[in-house]
Every structure is written in C-alpha cells, then in structure tokens.
Amino acid sequence: ALDRLRGLTTVERLCLGDLLRATGQDSEARSAYTAAIEEAPEQVPARAWLALADLDFDAGDPALALDNYERGMALLPEGGEQRAAVQLKIARSATRLADHHRAGQAYGAYLTVHPEDVEIQLEAARTFAAQGAHAEAARHYRQVIALRNDSGLEMELARAFTAVGAHDEAEAYARRAVGNQPADAEDTEAPPRRLLAEILLYGGHPEAADTLLERYLQDYPEDASAILLQAETALARDRRLLAYTRFRDATAFAVTNSAADGNFDEELRLGLGRSALIRGDLMRADRALAPLDATPQNSEAAAALLKRYHEARAPRLSLLGGWSSDSNDLILRQAGPQGSATIGPSHLPLSLRYTGGD
C-alpha cells in the first residue's frame, strides 16, 4: 500500500495512516501521516497530528513528538478533556527531553483540569525528583499528601523535603520510615536510619546524627556510605583527625570490596582532601586530590575544593635574614633552594609589608 502513496490524495493518505495504525503497522503509518503533512499540512486535522505524535513518542523521538503534540493541540478547542489529555502527553515528552519548565507547565495544565488525579500528581513528583527539579517535586508531593494517605511514601517524602531544605518535614517523615522498618529488616539499599542521620547532620544536629550512625553501623558495619556520612559528622563537629580517619576507613573499605563507583570515589576523595586541608596536611591532601586535579571535568563541589587546594599549595615566600654589618645591606634568604637576595642602598626606598601566614 505504501508504494501507492504518491498517487493518493491527502485525505486518502490520512485514512491509510489510520488503517495501518489500527493494524499495528506503526512505521508504515508514520510514513503515511508524514506524507500527508508534507503535501498539505493545512488540511491535516488535529487527530492526525496527535496520532503521528503518539507514533513518534513510541518510536523514541520525544522531540518530534512534542512538536507534533503542540501542533495538534493548537487545532483543538480551548478547555476540555481532550486538550488536558494532550497536555499530559506533552508533559511526558518534555520530561524525556529534560525540559523541566515545559513539563511543569504541561503537568500543571493537566492537573488544573484534574486536580484530584493523585497518580499523576505522584508521577509528576517522581519525575521532577529524578531530574533534580526538587522545588517542583516537593510541590507535587505536597499535593499527593493532601489527596491521599502518605503511607509507603515516607522515604520519598523525606528525600524530597531534604532536597529543598525543609529539614523539619524531612526529619518527621524519616522518623516515620524508621518506625515502619525494624532494624533487623532494614532495606540496606535505602536504609531509613542512614537517611535520618543525613537529615539530622545537614539540619544542624551532627551529634545526634553521629549517635544514630554508631548504632546503625553496629548492625551494618560494611555500609561504606554510612562510614562516609559519619566522617562528615566528625567534620561538622570540628573533629578533624577523626574525620580524616573515617574518610580513610571508608576509602579502604570501598577499595577492598570494589564498592566505589565513579561518584562515590569522587565523594571519598573530596572528603579526604577536605579534612586534610582543614588540618593543614598538604601531603595527605595531595594524595587525595591529585587524581581529581588531573580530571578535566569535575563537579561543582570538586572544583571548589580544588581551588582551595591550589591556594593552599601556592608557594609562600618565607624569608630569613639580617643586616650585614660590613655592607650595611639587608640580606634576605628565601627558604628552600631558591637562593638569597641582597637589598642595599641602591634598592631604596624599600617597602616591606606583612601579609600574614607562616
């Protein structure tokens, strides 16, 4: 039938597209719809644009799907169920493209018509949370809470509210999650006690976080992420040597058990480097941060710490010296192999300024 496309009218091509789609011949249907659009786009009704968009989306082309959904929706009357349904498809296409702004608009338009659709509220929340759009995620999670019992969502809600700095809400949900999972049956992939400790730490309660982690690590001593978090609690309490020791232990465990993926390895190195820099231990900072320094692309956290690292390693002019009674010159010697300099009357006037440091 596709061999005859060139001899068909626009209407016939659209009808052929409908027939092929109804019989599951999606690729051929796309060709028929596309041929009709290329010949006379002004004659193509909304349903054909939307059918083509569905086929584009199913074929893994969300960009083309989004364009065709919007062109089809422009031909629909304002308001109504059909337009809302298209908005939901636009939201999912935009989500695939990581276009958070457009997805948010479309989810909002759909939920304006169907505010009670808790499943789509939850879908929107999870979509935005996965993509790092935490404010949007938290807004939809709050709608979910208002519409249904939040049982079973405690860990999701705790993470969502942690991401937007709502530590009190996050802590409340994390404590509920801890209460719902006995310690001897804790989900080791996403343990509630570890999440609660993280919330306590970044909510300004490092002592409580450390106490909780001590108990947790008695049950799960091989949780390298918990060891790493415990190192952060030591830093937060200004226990610098303890922090370095814990970062080192987490690194050793990760290497021994091949537990470090790329992100975790960077996090360990950053922790080791940060604690070493705080202690003024440049030798250990070198060991931790030199591999990251050789990496062309680093996270924002790594870039900021590497800047501190380079500043700490910048050469400092340490001068020793005294007056020569024979020449009446001031002789200054820089520590290290760089040699010495003599400042005599020919160098005057001379201005010396103390800038602090060692």
Side-chain angles (χ1 to χ4, degrees), residues 102-305:
R102 185 69 189 92
Q105 288 180 324
Y107 273 122
Y110 173 83
L111 290 167
T112 297
V113 179
H114 298 289
E116 76 295 341
D117 192 336
V118 67
E119 295 305 320
I120 300 304
Q121 292 280 9
L122 187 56
E123 175 185 317
R126 287 171 171 167
T127 295
F128 287 121
Q131 295 181 347
H134 300 300
E136 278 294 312
R139 184 171 69 83
H140 287 289
Y141 273 123
R142 286 193 171 97
Q143 291 295 323
V144 172
I145 295 168
L147 290 168
R148 57 162 272 189
N149 188 314
D150 51 19
S151 177
L153 296 176
E154 290 86 359
M155 289 288 283
E156 283 186 57
L157 294 168
R159 291 192 193 96
F161 294 134
T162 298
V164 295
H167 294 294
D168 290 344
E169 288 176 277
E171 182 181 342
Y173 280 110
R175 288 191 182 282
R176 282 177 51 184
V178 170
N180 291 342
Q181 267 191 30
D184 59 356
E186 196 156 11
D187 178 1
T188 55
E189 292 298 316
R193 283 187 292 170
R194 193 178 72 200
L195 177 61
L196 176 56
E198 182 179 345
I199 292 167
L200 289 169
L201 169 61
Y202 297 114
H205 305 288
E207 295 84 1
D210 193 63
T211 300
L212 182 60
L213 286 168
E214 286 284 356
R215 293 198 298 266
Y216 172 77
L217 284 167
Q218 290 175 6
D219 296 326
Y220 301 98
E222 297 183 346
D223 188 333
S225 294
I227 300 171
L228 183 62
L229 189 60
Q230 198 176 40
E232 293 285 354
T233 69
L235 272 183
R237 293 180 294 136
D238 203 30
R239 301 285 301 279
R240 302 174 186 181
L241 181 58
L242 179 61
Y244 186 87
T245 301
R246 286 174 172 174
F247 279 120
R248 184 193 60 200
D249 291 346
T251 304
F253 176 84
V255 171
T256 302
N257 295 276
S258 301
D261 59 20
N263 292 334
F264 189 64
D265 183 59
E266 178 182 295
E267 195 174 355
L268 286 169
R269 289 191 176 279
L270 289 178
L272 282 167
R274 185 152 49 94
S275 56
L277 285 175
I278 289 172
R279 294 178 60 225
D281 188 339
L282 290 182
M283 182 177 70
R284 286 187 171 88
D286 282 338
R287 291 178 190 166
L289 298 177
L292 292 180
D293 203 23
T295 303
Q297 291 184 339
N298 286 298
S299 66
E300 289 184 14
L305 188 62

Side-chain angles (χ1 to χ4, degrees), residues 304-337:
L305 188 62
L306 286 171
K307 181 180 178 182
R308 284 180 56 192
Y309 167 61
H310 288 299
E311 290 172 350
R313 291 183 71 233
R316 295 183 179 184
L317 188 62
S318 179
L319 298 176
L320 304 173
W323 289 104
S324 168
S325 58
D326 294 331
S327 63
N328 204 31
D329 288 340
L330 174 64
I331 301 173
L332 300 176
R333 180 169 58 83
Q334 182 178 346

Side-chain angles (χ1 to χ4, degrees), residues 13 31 33 63 115 131 201 224 351:
R13 288 173 177 174
S31 297
Y33 286 131
Q131 295 181 347
L201 169 61
S351 174

